[in-house]
Amino acid sequence: MKEAKYFLGQIVHHKLFNYRGVIYDVDFEFRGGEEWYEKVARSRPAKNQPWYHVLVDNASHQTYVAECNLMVSQNKQRIHNPMVDYYFDDFDNGVYSLHVMKN
């Protein structure tokens, strides 16, 4: 299994589509459907690399992005997406902290 380069709560920048977002989940290889891949993944990134679930800044949706299309964002400001509070508790020094599960 390949190790993920980026971590949950990290703010990233999409190299091709020029948007920022925060990672809230990762698949260590592509877990989407073949139809979605053919229709949406136009640059045809490899499926055998980590793919990240990203909440998009200044939007209300999320994306599914191959690791090769991401880089660390130089802009460490908060992400504005209505789902941020669902996944994260805190924001400190440009990094979000995942919700802690309580019993």
Side-chain angles (χ1 to χ4, degrees):
M1 179 184 311
K2 183 170 166 77
E3 188 174 310
K5 182 176 182 179
Y6 305 109
F7 57 87
L8 304 184
Q10 187 171 25
I11 298 175
V12 291
H13 181 89
H14 195 293
K15 294 177 187 177
L16 301 177
F17 299 126
N18 197 31
Y19 66 81
R20 288 184 333 124
V22 60
I23 297 169
Y24 71 93
D25 198 6
V26 62
D27 296 331
F28 290 97
E29 62 182 27
F30 181 76
R31 296 277 187 232
E34 193 58 37
E35 184 177 330
W36 181 92
Y37 183 83
E38 292 298 322
K39 184 177 179 183
V40 180
R42 295 183 191 147
S43 66
R44 299 294 181 258
K47 294 179 182 180
N48 65 344
Q49 65 182 308
W51 283 68
Y52 299 85
H53 299 266
V54 177
L55 297 177
V56 178
D57 189 28
N58 293 317
S60 58
H61 65 279
Q62 60 91 25
T63 58
Y64 192 49
V65 186
E67 185 172 272
C68 66
N69 290 331
L70 293 176
M71 60 189 272
V72 174
S73 177
Q74 297 305 307
N75 180 344
K76 302 297 184 193
Q77 299 299 312
R78 289 180 178 271
I79 297 298
H80 300 285
N81 183 299
M83 294 302 292
V84 166
D85 290 339
Y86 179 80
Y87 292 103
F88 303 102
D89 281 330
D90 198 16
F91 180 78
D92 185 39
N93 200 25
V95 177
Y96 285 91
S97 300
L98 286 171
H99 278 303
V100 177
M101 301 301 288
K102 299 172 185 160
N103 292 334

